[in-house]
C-alpha cells in the first residue's frame, strides 16, 4: 500500500475545498469560487494598522477586481467575534 504524502498547496495549484464562518455568513470555498478567480490572502491580527491598511486597499479596488471576474477572500487566525468587532470599529472611525 502506497503512503500518501500531503503537501502544502503551491502557487498555481488548485486550492483545497474548505468551509468557514465568515463576516458574511457560512462559506464553502468550492461554491464561492465557481466561475471566477479568487484572490485568497492572509492578513495579520485584527485591530492592527497593517490589517486595516490591507483591507481598506482591497475594498477601494473591489470594483476593479469585479471587472476582472475576481473575488477577494481574506484569511486570518482571529475569531469571527474579533472580526465583527474590528469591522464595527473601523466603520465608526
Amino acid at each position: 500500500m502506497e503512503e500518501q504524502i500531503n503537501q502544502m498547496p503551491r502557487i498555481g495549484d488548485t486550492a483545497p475545498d474548505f468551509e468557514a464562518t465568515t463576516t458574511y455568513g457560512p462559506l464553502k470555498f468550492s461554491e464561492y469560487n465557481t466561475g471566477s478567480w479568487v484572490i485568497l490572502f492572509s492578513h495579520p491580527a485584527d485591530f492592527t494598522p497593517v490589517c486595516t491598511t490591507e483591507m481598506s486597499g482591497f475594498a477601494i479596488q473591489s470594483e476593479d477586481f469585479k471587472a476582472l471576474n475576481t473575488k477577494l477572500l481574506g484569511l486570518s487566525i482571529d475569531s469571527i467575534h474579533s472580526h465583527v468587532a474590528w469591522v464595527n470599529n473601523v466603520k465608526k472611525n
Side-chain angles (χ1 to χ4, degrees):
M1 175 182 255
E2 287 185 34
E3 182 179 337
Q4 182 178 356
I5 299 173
N6 294 323
Q7 289 184 310
M8 292 289 287
R10 296 179 184 197
I11 293 174
D13 287 354
T14 299
D17 197 15
F18 61 88
E19 295 182 21
T21 302
T22 75
T23 54
Y24 291 97
L27 176 138
K28 183 170 183 177
F29 187 66
S30 60
E31 294 170 2
Y32 179 77
N33 71 7
T34 300
S36 66
W37 293 96
V38 176
I39 295 177
L40 179 61
F41 64 96
S42 62
H43 65 89
D46 296 334
F47 297 99
T48 64
V50 173
C51 179
T52 305
T53 302
E54 283 182 346
M55 294 299 204
S56 297
F58 277 122
I60 290 167
Q61 298 293 319
S62 65
E63 291 302 316
D64 295 328
F65 286 111
K66 284 181 188 175
L68 296 169
N69 192 33
T70 302
K71 297 177 181 177
L72 302 169
L73 186 58
L75 165 70
S76 173
I77 62 166
D78 289 325
S79 71
I80 189 69
H81 304 291
S82 177
H83 293 324
V84 170
W86 173 74
V87 168
N88 289 334
N89 185 60
V90 170
K91 287 179 181 178
K92 285 183 202 174
N93 298 320

